[in-house]
Amino acid sequence: MNEQLQKLVKQADYDLQQQFAKIDLACMRNSEKVLNAFQKNKIAEVHFGSTTGYGYDDIGRDTIERVFADVLGAEDALVRTQFISGTHAITVALFAMLRPGDTMLSICGKPYDTLDSIIGFDENPSSLKAYQIQYEQIDLVENDFDIPKIVERVAQKNVKLIEIQRSRGYALRYSLTLDKIEKVIQAIRKVNQEVIIMVDNCYGEFVDEKEPVALGADIMVGSLIKNLGGGLAPNGAYIAGRKDLINLAAERLTSPGQGKEVGPTLGINKSILQGLYMAPSVVASSLKTAIFTSYMLEKLGYKVQPKFDEKRADIVQTIEFGNEEKLVKYCQGIQSGSAIDSDSVPMPWDMPGYTDKVIMAAGAFTMGSSIELSCDAPIRPPYVAFQQGALTYEYGKLGVLKAIENIL
Ligand SMILES: *Cc1c(COP(=O)(O)O)cnc(C)c1O
């Protein structure tokens, strides 16, 4: 590391203390919630056991779902290895709750890219659209909900489900803080008590001290190769919220009549429990890595979002490079700073579902895991990298410094 960079890191260590103290406080509160849920549900070695076949009477699985519900402030939860990832769980939730003729309304603009085919923006015989489920959207205004427009639309009572996406996805908007989400939910409830409010909670868990269902959302969905998996869950996702809706989701994931009663755990119960146990501190490490990145890259002259001292709603950090070469070099630096596949060199590539070439850096223990330090970017102006994760702050910091050295 050159002298100037060393000096900057020293300054960062000093200047970030206040931000890090806030992160530690949230980590403490969330750890307390997890520990209380483990104790309340009397977690013991028997819950690490496994089932095969149909997975009847899997006491570990059923208790894990109670623990998740308690931690998240939900009535019930569905936590399954049969969910491939967040996208699949969102698909199951939407198909479980919507029927032909229903309308789904997104109130924060266009949802995450992988939902395009689910909703039916592109021709797909398996989309919601192919089942005569309508889609409408209301865009954000200045990074916040357009409450008057939303209230006017939902007062008409013919919207079945509202979708709120907490994290930014690949959009250049701010992620939505819980304050904003709570306000919009209250406004909706004044004019409509029936509409189902669903939150895509990916990347948001444990960033704050509460989760959207505790603030009035009916249901929320997230991935276990992101925040709540704590870097230990090998795959899977969760849906949490109202008991009747969880039941619908279970009957869609498995089959009508079987619902939550089936689903073998194939040896993953301990990893899921241990992952949840670690998750508050892993999310805190990811947040500290994001804050460090934001501080360093801003000092080096790049546009970053959020800034190091801004309130965060998720673990994602963006850096605007303004040109392709620096963006690619940064991502390659993140890869070479990883513990796994450090000798691979990621290159911009055509990927299914994306219009532009995409570069993806991820040297992870779990393939595709983005609670581990990872960085990806569509190759288009203004050449923005989306970085997230780090299992420990120390490894996150080392990876980011490697990436910075690569662009200097
Ligand atoms: C990652 C993500 C998803 C999809 O989750 P996967 O686990 O990658 O399938 C959905 N929505 C948002 C906002 C995400 O960040």
Side-chain angles (χ1 to χ4, degrees):
M1 231 193 309
N2 72 38
E3 215 171 295
Q4 194 201 345
L5 191 56
Q6 273 178 29
K7 245 171 103 182
L8 192 54
V9 173
K10 228 174 168 178
Q11 189 65 39
D13 290 341
Y14 183 79
D15 288 348
L16 297 179
Q17 291 176 51
Q18 211 186 343
Q19 300 305 320
F20 284 13
K22 285 187 209 164
I23 304 288
D24 289 337
L25 196 63
C27 179
M28 189 68 194
R29 299 264 160 79
N30 285 313
S31 299
E32 212 174 348
K33 274 194 279 182
V34 171
L35 190 59
N36 285 340
F38 271 57
Q39 292 167 350
K40 179 182 160 202
N41 291 285
K42 302 184 169 62
I43 295 299
E45 194 176 25
V46 63
H47 300 115
F48 302 159
S50 176
T51 52
T52 55
Y54 297 113
Y56 291 133
D57 301 318
D58 191 314
I59 183 181
R61 180 194 68 212
D62 296 345
T63 312
I64 283 169
E65 291 180 336
R66 282 305 329 146
V67 169
F68 267 70
D70 289 342
V71 168
L72 299 171
E75 258 174 39
D76 200 359
L78 188 62
V79 185
R80 299 294 168 115
T81 183
Q82 280 80 19
F83 285 129
I84 306 304
S85 70
T87 300
H88 183 207
I90 291 170
T91 304
V92 168
L94 291 172
F95 276 91
M97 294 182 283
L98 294 162
R99 296 289 177 274
D102 284 347
T103 295
M104 157 187 181
L105 171 69
S106 165
I107 58 169
C108 38
K110 188 181 158 301
Y112 192 71
D113 296 52
T114 56
L115 269 74
D116 285 12
S117 307
I118 303 169
I119 294 168
F121 293 152
D122 36 11
E123 217 39 59
N124 189 314
S126 301
S127 69
L128 291 165
K129 190 178 171 197
Y131 286 84
Q132 284 83 51
I133 292 156
Q134 320 297 322
Y135 170 81
E136 291 176 30
Q137 97 185 22
I138 295 174
D139 291 336
L140 295 173
V141 181
E142 285 168 20
N143 290 303
D144 203 348
F145 296 103
D146 188 346
I147 292 189
K149 208 167 180 180
I150 293 165
V151 166
E152 189 192 326
R153 181 64 191 88
V154 297
Q156 294 168 38
K157 306 270 168 101
N158 57 349
V159 173
K160 177 74 170 290
L161 178 141
I162 286 177
E163 202 213 45
I164 298 173
Q165 183 183 304
R166 190 171 170 188
S167 186
R168 57 194 301 163
Y170 287 115
L172 295 178
R173 66 155 166 101
Y174 273 78
S175 298
L176 294 158
T177 57
L178 289 185
D179 293 352
K180 291 177 183 171
I181 292 176
E182 186 172 26
K183 241 185 236 152
V184 78
I185 291 175
Q186 285 173 356
I188 292 166
R189 282 296 174 235
K190 278 203 189 116
V191 294
N192 189 326
Q193 286 77 49
E194 291 83 48
V195 66
I196 299 167
I197 301 175
M198 170 172 135
V199 176
D200 173 351
N201 206 28
C202 284
Y203 286 142
E205 301 94 348
F206 290 163
V207 170
D208 223 312
E209 294 175 18
K210 280 186 180 166
E211 300 301 332
V213 287
L215 303 174
D218 296 296
I219 195 157
M220 62 188 191
V221 186
S223 167
L224 292 187
I225 57 171
K226 292 183 179 173
N227 302 21
L228 287 189
L232 293 176
N235 88 317
Y238 74 89
I239 305 180
R242 260 168 50 190
K243 199 174 180 66
D244 59 325
L245 301 179
I246 295 302
N247 192 45
L248 282 174
E251 301 240 315
R252 180 72 276 167
L253 173 65
T254 67
S255 29
Q258 293 190 309
K260 284 186 104 182
E261 304 298 315
V262 293
T265 49
L266 310 170
I268 67 151
N269 284 348
K270 186 177 170 188
S271 303
I272 290 193
L273 281 166
Q274 207 167 1
L276 181 66
Y277 182 76
M278 296 304 292
S281 116
V282 171
V283 170
S285 299
S286 297
L287 286 168
K288 287 178 182 176
T289 302
I291 289 168
F292 176 74
T293 305
S294 180
Y295 180 95
M296 293 293 287
L297 274 293
E298 186 178 17
K299 294 279 183 214
L300 293 170
Y302 297 94
K303 255 205 224 161
V304 294
Q305 203 194 80
K307 294 193 188 285
F308 75 91
D309 55 356
E310 273 179 311
K311 182 156 176 68
R312 283 168 192 263
D314 63 13
I315 62 168
V316 181
Q317 178 64 45
T318 68
I319 311 140
E320 188 178 315
F321 287 99
N323 73 69
E324 178 173 347
E325 194 200 339
K326 292 263 183 201
L327 170 67
V328 169
K329 277 228 144 54
Y330 186 86
C331 292
Q332 290 174 340
I334 290 288
Q335 184 77 38
S336 60
S338 306
I340 313 297
D341 296 329
S342 61
D343 60 338
S344 299
V345 182
M347 301 289 279
W349 216 255
D350 288 313
M351 304 258 299
Y354 295 88
T355 40
D356 303 284
K357 282 192 162 68
V358 180
I359 183 164
M360 293 196 164
F365 286 88
T366 297
M367 286 305 113
S369 166
S370 48
I371 188 62
E372 302 185 50
L373 182 64
S374 49
C375 189
D376 32 65
I379 305 295
R380 61 172 178 241
Y383 301 100
V384 175
F386 296 77
Q387 180 192 294
Q388 59 277 314
L391 295 184
T392 74
Y393 173 51
E394 290 74 17
Y395 290 128
K397 193 172 176 181
L398 289 167
V400 169
L401 285 171
K402 186 98 184 176
I404 289 173
E405 285 187 302
N406 216 34
I407 57 168
L408 287 180

